[in-house]
Amino acid sequence: MEKFVIHGGRPLRGEVSISGAKNAVVAILPATILADDVCRIENIPNISDVTYMVRILKQIGAGVRVINKHILEIDASTVHSFTVPDELTKHMRASYYLIGALLGRYHQARVSMPGGCDLGIRPIDQHIKGFEFLGADVNIENAMVNVRAEKLIGSSIYMDVVSVGATVNIMLAAVKARGLTVIENAAKEPHIVDLANFLNSMGADVRGAGTDVIKIHGVEQLHGCTYSIIPDQIEAGTYMVAAGATKGDVLVKNVIPKHLESISAKLEECGLEVTEYDDSIRVRYVGKLSKCNIKTMPHPGFPTDMQPQMSVLLSLASGTSIVSENVSDNRYRYVAQLTRMGANVQVDGKVAVIEGVRELTGAPVKADDLRAGAAMLIAGLAAEGTTEIENIQHIDRGYEDVVEKFSALGADIVRRDYPDAVVEKAV
Ligand code: EPU
């Protein structure tokens, strides 16, 4: 079993370069199924969610050529299977994008219910509603989602909740449908815009992405293209918060500052100095960390995927901060770990009350999910003493070269492999 071992308490200083966005690439890789020829995708993050998605694409027949660890050429014209079984979907939520992509291209798909972070119930009713409005029959049997359509016809779909996944899936299913599809109350996240830009580079006609009304005029054919993935908003935010929590000074490079506005604003409210450049942001500790309140919201609100990391910073800020989690049902599991390190956090339903403490102390902890794991990294880097984090496979799903990047900023962090027998003895 692998763990991260961190000797904390060192301010992070220096520069870090941000990788391509996980939540964009996991939508764009399945979208290549819609093209008639080769798509070259650049700035792909080297993370395990990409490995899983590439495995699925190969399994259903796509040709994948690795140019280097950040560039892939995908020829999905050879796809011959429309079934994606559980052993391939259980690792990641985004495997359900295969449903929209296969439906859009081949009018049929049979995909096992998705895995991914355990953030609560995570229903897919809005995805199903969208497929049905486009003319597909949908049924779920033995945890397999079966969709089939004689033909797909554009439709007007009002989403009852703002859902990133449902917006992506409906876009994928609709780009080749006959006529106009309108998605109302659509998600507006940067990765939605990135997917729309990718689809348009393949010859689609998608307008309005980034607003809450997306209009898609169906086209008959989509062709291959070359496309570069946007930088990861949440990876960038994680390094920004880590700079603040460790009282450091970090230039976070290769970012789109506009995507980080809600995070920058909160860090400034906490007393950090945040300086924006064209494609980088510097976060500097200038002698104080003060409380602030956070409410998570769909974009452009404060992202739920930054709530755990930000709560670590607030646990070290003077005063009492209130955090309201309005997007996910189950996003406070990391609190049990954080309190082992000396944080003072009370959770009641969707609200966490954080009383700042002077310092955190290192402890053995675990990553309950991807962003909970990112929170543990920041806590370990900020804490006095040694922190060992287990279940780090969650962190590897979404953070490229996390040890190398933090080490280059002066952190004392290593990945250590513990033979399972030794781990069992220690427990
Ligand atoms: N929801 C429904 N019905 C649906 C779909 C969603 O009620 O059919 C609800 C969910 O239960 C949730 C809310 O709507 O309460 C938002 O869910 P959404 O569909 O937007 O989330 P998702 O698509 O499953 C993506 C990201 C998550 C991120 C959320 C929210 C990907 C692959 N995943 O999930 O990212 O937390 O949006 O922004 O894009 C992460 O990167 O760590 C991660 C978990």
Side-chain angles (χ1 to χ4, degrees):
M1 177 204 275
E2 286 189 330
K3 294 186 190 182
F4 289 138
V5 181
I6 303 172
H7 299 290
R10 298 161 168 237
L12 297 180
R13 290 187 201 286
E15 300 181 355
V16 62
S17 185
I18 296 307
S19 301
K22 168 182 93 78
N23 289 344
V25 76
V26 295
I28 286 173
L29 291 177
T32 61
I33 290 175
L34 295 157
D36 285 347
D37 45 334
V38 178
C39 293
R40 179 185 165 100
I41 315 292
E42 303 181 344
N43 200 32
I44 294 181
N46 188 19
I47 53 176
S48 64
D49 265 14
V50 166
T51 312
Y52 294 130
M53 189 57 87
V54 166
R55 200 174 292 162
I56 295 176
L57 288 171
K58 283 183 176 168
Q59 180 88 15
I60 62 174
V64 180
R65 189 160 161 242
V66 180
I67 305 300
N68 62 42
K69 67 177 180 174
H70 295 130
I71 301 180
L72 295 176
E73 286 183 355
I74 299 170
D75 180 0
S77 64
T78 48
V79 165
H80 51 67
S81 166
F82 313 122
T83 301
V84 187
D86 176 62
E87 65 265 23
L88 292 173
T89 63
K90 67 181 173 202
H91 298 290
M92 63 185 306
R93 186 95 198 136
S95 52
Y96 58 21
Y97 294 153
L98 274 300
I99 310 176
L102 288 169
L103 178 65
R105 174 71 191 261
Y106 298 105
H107 292 185
Q108 57 179 305
R110 206 172 122 70
V111 178
S112 176
M113 290 289 275
C117 291
D118 177 8
L119 307 178
I121 301 171
R122 302 186 87 178
I124 60 164
D125 56 303
Q126 299 304 303
H127 305 236
I128 294 173
K129 169 175 159 176
F131 298 145
E132 288 179 338
F133 269 57
L134 294 170
D137 287 327
V138 184
N139 68 68
I140 301 178
E141 236 178 52
N142 294 330
M144 294 292 280
V145 185
N146 300 297
V147 292
R148 187 177 277 275
E150 274 297 305
K151 51 183 184 261
L152 293 167
I153 299 186
S155 178
S156 195
I157 302 156
Y158 178 83
M159 313 259 283
D160 303 323
V161 290
V162 179
S163 161
V164 170
T167 304
V168 167
N169 245 335
I170 297 168
M171 288 165 75
L172 295 173
V175 272
K176 296 188 76 192
R178 197 176 304 161
L180 174 67
T181 297
V182 181
I183 309 174
E184 290 185 75
N185 202 23
K188 295 181 281 206
E189 270 65 6
H191 30 288
I192 300 285
V193 179
D194 209 33
L195 174 64
N197 289 339
F198 173 66
L199 293 170
N200 288 340
S201 303
M202 292 199 297
D205 184 351
V206 180
R207 299 176 198 196
T211 75
D212 49 19
V213 181
I214 300 179
K215 292 187 178 167
I216 304 168
H217 287 272
V219 295
E220 284 205 353
Q221 270 194 319
L222 293 173
H223 51 76
C225 66
T226 296
Y227 193 80
S228 183
I229 305 285
I230 52 164
D232 195 301
Q233 174 202 27
I234 305 300
E235 189 199 8
T238 301
Y239 283 95
M240 289 165 70
V241 170
T246 60
K247 303 185 173 168
D249 180 357
V250 174
L251 183 69
V252 183
K253 293 178 11 179
N254 182 34
V255 299
I256 299 175
K258 175 95 190 134
H259 294 169
L260 297 164
E261 275 174 353
S262 60
I263 301 164
S264 298
K266 284 294 155 186
L267 293 181
E268 281 181 329
E269 223 177 297
C270 290
L272 294 162
E273 184 184 276
V274 180
T275 315
E276 269 188 23
Y277 303 95
D278 286 349
D279 62 356
S280 56
I281 289 193
R282 180 178 176 190
V283 176
R284 192 160 81 97
Y285 174 74
V286 283
K288 63 169 182 170
L289 265 185
S290 21
K291 69 172 182 76
C292 82
N293 298 338
I294 306 285
K295 285 184 203 287
T296 67
M297 295 281 178
H299 192 79
F302 190 86
T304 176
D305 292 345
M306 281 303 301
Q307 182 263 104
Q309 302 90 312
M310 192 68 193
S311 296
V312 173
L313 180 112
L314 296 178
S315 73
L316 287 162
S318 58
T320 306
S321 305
I322 313 277
V323 175
S324 315
E325 175 53 65
N326 300 308
V327 177
S328 302
D329 293 337
N330 187 19
R331 211 135 203 190
Y332 285 126
R333 288 195 304 164
Y334 69 89
V335 168
Q337 306 299 314
L338 197 55
T339 49
R340 288 162 65 90
M341 300 177 74
N344 183 353
V345 186
Q346 307 294 326
V347 177
D348 187 1
K350 287 180 175 296
V351 175
V353 179
I354 304 176
E355 191 74 53
V357 293
R358 280 182 74 81
E359 64 173 30
L360 297 173
T361 45
V365 292
K366 62 178 177 172
D368 282 310
D369 58 56
L370 169 57
R371 307 306 171 185
M376 289 305 107
L377 280 172
I378 296 172
L381 293 166
E384 290 303 321
T386 303
T387 296
E388 290 195 359
I389 307 176
E390 54 177 78
N391 286 358
I392 61 171
Q393 73 282 1
H394 289 298
I395 299 172
D396 290 333
R397 284 188 43 220
Y399 290 89
E400 175 171 352
D401 291 342
V402 75
V403 168
E404 292 75 6
K405 289 187 185 187
F406 276 124
S407 299
L409 293 172
D412 182 345
I413 173 172
V414 289
R415 180 189 293 264
R416 197 165 287 160
D417 198 6
Y418 290 82
D420 286 346
V422 174
V423 172
E424 270 161 34
K425 242 190 200 166
V427 169

